[in-house]
Amino acid sequence: MRFLNGRNGTDSLFYGFAVLYLILYGLNFLILSPALRWAQYIVVFLAIFRLLSTNIPQRKKEADFFSKIIVTLLPFLKHSGERILNNKDYAFHVCDKCGVTIKVKRLEEKGKFVLTCPKCGNKFVVKNKRKK
């Protein structure tokens, strides 16, 4: 194990490359594109390069930048999935004042309703569309 002494090793960006490789692999399995195959090779090369790199401060900067991007994207992706799954039963409204997303059960009748934000107490009017 002396070979890996002083090397960067695995970090969050390495695992991000692994996930990206698996996504590209799955797409290439369906599409059979030479461009996707080359993209897979590039991703593997970058992952191995980062794994064996001795420039640890630069690799740490790259991993920190990647972590910042992931931290900002994960809540958005999580809530988007919830919206897609619950689209027929719930309506999602954003508070005008504080920006909190409020999940409200859809009602049978059409019309305008007053919602109160649970965080800031702001009252605002929303339109309800009928369930389909």
Side-chain angles (χ1 to χ4, degrees):
M1 289 313 265
R2 296 180 93 193
F3 174 68
L4 291 177
N5 282 350
R7 308 283 181 181
N8 185 46
T10 60
D11 56 4
S12 60
L13 186 52
F14 178 82
Y15 293 118
F17 279 136
V19 169
L20 179 61
Y21 174 79
L22 291 174
I23 291 169
L24 290 173
Y25 181 81
L27 286 174
N28 195 22
F29 183 76
L30 297 173
I31 299 171
L32 296 175
S33 167
L36 284 177
R37 185 177 304 129
W38 278 103
Q40 286 176 274
Y41 294 151
I42 291 170
V43 167
V44 168
F45 173 77
L46 289 173
I48 292 173
F49 172 78
R50 292 192 80 259
L51 177 75
L52 299 177
S53 175
T54 57
N55 189 356
I56 294 174
Q58 182 63 32
R59 303 292 87 82
K60 182 164 175 27
K61 285 181 189 176
E62 294 166 357
D64 290 343
F65 179 73
F66 175 74
S67 295
K68 286 179 187 176
I69 291 172
I70 291 298
V71 164
T72 55
L73 285 180
L74 280 180
F76 172 75
L77 294 174
K78 177 185 162 201
H79 293 301
S80 297
E82 183 181 357
R83 282 185 178 201
I84 290 169
L85 292 175
N86 296 324
N87 194 21
K88 285 191 174 189
D89 298 329
Y90 293 94
F92 295 88
H93 302 284
V94 178
C95 176
D96 302 330
K97 193 173 181 184
C98 65
V100 170
T101 302
I102 303 167
K103 179 175 154 181
V104 181
K105 186 120 174 113
R106 286 192 192 269
L107 301 174
E108 291 294 329
E109 63 270 2
K110 259 180 147 179
K112 293 182 180 182
F113 297 94
V114 177
L115 281 182
T116 303
C117 177
K119 184 176 179 185
C120 66
N122 180 31
K123 293 186 179 192
F124 55 98
V125 178
V126 295
K127 289 183 179 179
N128 185 32
K129 296 178 184 175
R130 242 185 244 159
K131 271 188 183 176
K132 294 180 181 180

